[in-house]
Amino acid sequence: MRLTAEEFELLKLTRRYVTTDRRYLKLGGFLLGMSGRDRAKFMRKLGKAAYRIAPRELDLLLDRGWRESGTAAWLIAVAGRTEFRERLGELLLASKWPYAGQAYCIALASFGTSADADLLVAYLDRYLPRPDLVYDQTDALGALLLLDAKAGTDHAARFLAPDGLWQQWTAQSPRKDPADPDEYREFIELLCAFADESAQHRPIRRRGATPHGR
């Protein structure tokens, strides 16, 4: 069966940005175990890819499965493409795919504005009352706490109040032994720091070219 032009383009994009070096499997907690030459090489490639990929190509990847969508969210975070804020918020709230939500939270935390906090709050308001669902509640709370710490705000306070939604969710959730919320904040902070470092590896700009990104 012949591929359509869009399917063929998506296949090329996936090979270039998602499956290269098994990138989609490494974006997340795996990054924190990287060191030395491997870490530097991965950052360099990630940073260059984030600034080279076009907005339309990111749109195509975001519409696909968890591998493509999660990788696209990381590329968005690295390049600081805030024009995707609302799209990421919608994807996070929909929770259509497993594994991709953490990447959406990292992108929103890296943008670091009150608008991003509002999207994380909307997610927690919807999914903390659902102890039967173990989705991305911990990553969303960690991202929101990180935003609060940076901006001096207290969006997360009502979730963490005694008998608040966080306590209710952890008490009834099948997730065992939940960590202290600050540990989730530190985890997201470390991943955001990785994205920030990767952002330093912009491709060499050609004369007359207009780069994507911030």
Side-chain angles (χ1 to χ4, degrees), residues 153-164:
T153 52
D154 60 354
H155 294 96
R158 67 180 175 86
F159 296 115
L160 298 175
D163 296 322

Side-chain angles (χ1 to χ4, degrees), residues 31-49:
L31 298 175
L32 304 184
M34 282 187 175
S35 60
R37 187 173 299 175
D38 288 341
R39 178 183 172 90
K41 180 180 178 181
F42 191 89
M43 277 186 173
R44 183 171 62 254
K45 288 186 174 182
L46 183 65
K48 289 181 177 180

Side-chain angles (χ1 to χ4, degrees), residues 61-62 64-74 91 97 100 104:
L61 293 178
L62 285 172
R64 305 301 293 182
W66 68 269
R67 298 170 182 83
E68 297 89 347
S69 192
T71 302
W74 262 94
L91 289 168
W97 298 296
Y104 307 149

